[in-house]
Amino acid sequence: MAIPLPDGLATPALVVDPDVLDRNVARMAEASRAQGFALRPHAKSHKCARIADRQLRSGARGLSVATIGEAEAFARAGVDDLFIAYPVWLDADKARRLRRLADDVALRVGVESVEGARRLGDALRGSDRAVEVLVEVDSGSRRTGVRPDAAGEVGKAAADEGLDVVGVFTFPGHGYGHDARARERAARDEERTLGEAAQGLRDIGLDVRVVSGGSTPTVGQWRPGAVNELRPGVYVFNDATQLAIGTCGVADLALAAVATVISVPAPERFVLDVGSKVLGSDRSPWVAGHGYLPRFPEGTVTGLWEHHAVVRLPEGVRGPRLGSSVAVVPNHICTPVNLADELLVVRDREVVDRWQVTARGTNT
Amino acid sequence: MAIPLPDGLATPALVVDPDVLDRNVARMAEASRAQGFALRPHAKSHKCARIADRQLRSGARGLSVATIGEAEAFARAGVDDLFIAYPVWLDADKARRLRRLADDVALRVGVESVEGARRLGDALRGSDRAVEVLVEVDSGSRRTGVRPDAAGEVGKAAADEGLDVVGVFTFPGHGYGHDARARERAARDEERTLGEAAQGLRDIGLDVRVVSGGSTPTVGQWRPGAVNELRPGVYVFNDATQLAIGTCGVADLALAAVATVISVPAPERFVLDVGSKVLGSDRSPWVAGHGYLPRFPEGTVTGLWEHHAVVRLPEGVRGPRLGSSVAVVPNHICTPVNLADELLVVRDREVVDRWQVTARGTNT
């Protein structure tokens, strides 16, 4: 995100550097090919059909999504292979929506409980829809997913419902951490728990074809053969958290919010017209403030309100003038994208395209 | 938010209890009348024309908004008196939008710098539009706003541009705090700084008609005569932060996210299908977790991901069953409303209405 900003942009706005984005997309595709993983990027990080298209053209097998709503949005946009990487709980309405989706696309869903598997079976009974099922395993995040030794039980419940159980998946959320060892440990946890869970499915006679893991931080950490599918999301844009934990460099940042300096109350302090309703307010323990400022890398966004970001500079660092434009790279890219209706694509100080955020708000 | 939830709601969804909402609206209107303040509620907290309508019918003078985009959305919805309570910085496009707004509604805007005042003057020069200007004062939040002794200089710059400078305003953001003394101190700061700033305007011969302050926490803390306009926002719904700092009770909570229990990994832990893309991730130092659970007041949302909320219960407290519905009151209501396209109005276990979030995403 070193591109010069266009003049006269109504701020705040999210801008994308398409060249950095394309490089990020190509690099991940190449790494997956080289290491023999199927790449199924998580679309919750961009929610844009235009970006999904770039990922699929560069070799991604399909997309991962988090909700039925996201799957519907991408199906409408023409994506025909979708994995709802989430333990969907089907009420009558969601069951109907899922059946309709399965008519239109190659569909995979996650389960992590016997009851969830039964509901899925009920929803699809009597239909000839070939929905693939993956059992979610907890590799250390401590949110959803069964313990690896319980994968067989859930897999059996799904298979007993006549569902096509094809493998296991996990999200190594504990791979976010300041030092590379946290990521390496998380990758080992993934390999071990996915391996145990896959064995549990094989033990009851299932053919395990998909062993799916990965997030942007654990990419490249796996031993050959342990995992055969990768679901990173953030890598398309990267963000201030990835920069802080060292999984990307400044040159790999592809998205920023452009803001205007609306106040300079003191030489070491200025205020931007961007806040949590554009940047989101996610803040992990690994970042110092509420975003990264490429033009002021020593600056810290010490205060974030809905429509204000207060930036502090070290003494002696010259700040921007009132009315000028300043870019802020968000802490966690998945949130701001979901707040925006469109991303402005900028090249050579010009807005050259506008990408609609196809799946904005489709979080149900 | 003690209402029984409807069955079969596609979750996550934001639901509103209209009776609690109406009571909150009426109570604030009554308090303002009794204390002689003009009430100009901040619409950034609800962004809904249907709620604005209730506020205006109950006696609010007009609305406050944060952006030109919000003003445009409410103007389209028929609101004819709007204060952009923000130091707007006008580029060519925003100047054009502001002029158009001023054609349609009684408009007020904030300024907090000499340069900002000049730009506003440039934007409106030669037009016969009567835009009112208020000088923003920093009463202790340390974001935007001039020191009270500088209000005269900014007011003079605006008056020299031929603008109609009618008063001063502030936001006492430092009034958020665990103990009532913080709120009382913030209210004293408001009175003192607004008073000094108003005097600064009078000293240069201006007629100060509006002295505007207030947020939900500092309501009711002012001494008679010090402030004559109130701009609270959150009070319509209240939220987990207001509950934690003691400015509302459980019975005053008018909005919650309804979620489904998708996982029960342990007796004292369960996971909901709601996360930061619905609840927002704001978290002040005064709240224990990522939301308040009316059915499990001793529970804490210890983990919040984009589509997961992990809840912990004290030992011995019986949790909900898999697949059941649980309501979560967000920490800070202004963020989730901006994430939603509509609010479901629920009475007697039925969705009786759907209120569009008129100004969702209009943050520029």
Side-chain angles (χ1 to χ4, degrees), chain A residues 352-364:
Chain A
V352 294
D353 206 349
R354 288 165 184 265
W355 292 344
Q356 195 206 339
V357 182
T358 322
R360 194 217 60 78
T362 59
N363 297 312
T364 296

Side-chain angles (χ1 to χ4, degrees), chain A residues 11-12 44 86 94 112 143-144 262-263 273 277 281-282 305-308 323 332 334 341 360 364, chain B residues 11-12 44 86 89 94 112 143-144 262-263 273 277 281-282 305-308 323 332 334 341 360 364:
Chain A
T11 62
K44 73 182 173 65
Y86 195 85
K94 284 187 177 168
E112 66 98 75
R143 50 179 215 194
T144 47
I262 53 163
S263 179
D273 67 349
K277 281 182 175 170
S281 21
D282 284 347
W305 308 76
E306 285 159 66
H307 301 278
H308 304 76
H332 180 203
C334 306
D341 291 317
R360 194 217 60 78
T364 296
Chain B
T11 62
K44 73 181 172 67
Y86 195 85
W89 185 270
K94 285 187 176 167
E112 65 99 76
R143 51 178 214 195
T144 47
I262 53 162
S263 180
D273 67 348
K277 282 183 174 168
S281 22
D282 284 347
W305 308 77
E306 284 159 66
H307 300 278
H308 304 75
H332 180 204
C334 307
D341 291 317
R360 194 216 61 78
T364 296

Side-chain angles (χ1 to χ4, degrees), chain A residues 8-13 44-45 47 66-67 70 85-89 91 93-94 97 112-116 136 138 141-145 171 173-174 260-265 269 271-274 276-278 280-283 305-308 310 312 322-324 332 334-335 338-341 360-364, chain B residues 8-13 44-45 47 66-67 70 85-89 91 93-94 97 112-116 136 138 141-145 171 173-174 260-265 269 271-274 276-278 280-283 305-308 310 312 322-324 332 334-335 338-341 360-364:
Chain A
L9 210 58
T11 62
K44 73 182 173 65
S45 301
K47 287 185 175 254
T67 65
E70 280 185 349
Y86 195 85
V88 290
W89 184 269
D91 58 17
D93 182 56
K94 284 187 177 168
R97 290 165 64 195
E112 66 98 75
S113 66
V114 169
E115 297 87 333
E136 188 183 10
D138 180 4
S141 288
R142 299 284 173 271
R143 50 179 215 194
T144 47
F171 171 69
H174 59 314
T260 297
V261 179
I262 53 163
S263 179
V264 183
R269 188 153 49 98
V271 186
L272 300 171
D273 67 349
V274 67
S276 58
K277 281 182 175 170
V278 169
S281 21
D282 284 347
R283 185 174 170 192
W305 308 76
E306 285 159 66
H307 301 278
H308 304 76
V310 177
R312 279 192 179 272
L322 194 60
S324 61
H332 180 203
C334 306
T335 323
N338 182 51
L339 286 159
D341 291 317
R360 194 217 60 78
T362 59
N363 297 312
T364 296
Chain B
L9 208 59
T11 62
K44 73 181 172 67
S45 301
K47 285 185 175 256
T67 64
E70 280 185 349
Y86 195 85
V88 290
W89 185 270
D91 58 16
D93 182 56
K94 285 187 176 167
R97 291 165 63 195
E112 65 99 76
S113 66
V114 169
E115 296 87 333
E136 188 182 11
D138 180 5
S141 288
R142 300 285 175 269
R143 51 178 214 195
T144 47
F171 172 68
H174 59 313
T260 297
V261 179
I262 53 162
S263 180
V264 183
R269 188 152 50 98
V271 187
L272 300 172
D273 67 348
V274 67
S276 59
K277 282 183 174 168
V278 169
S281 22
D282 284 347
R283 186 173 170 193
W305 308 77
E306 284 159 66
H307 300 278
H308 304 75
V310 177
R312 280 192 177 271
L322 194 61
S324 61
H332 180 204
C334 307
T335 323
N338 182 51
L339 286 158
D341 291 317
R360 194 216 61 78
T362 59
N363 298 312
T364 296

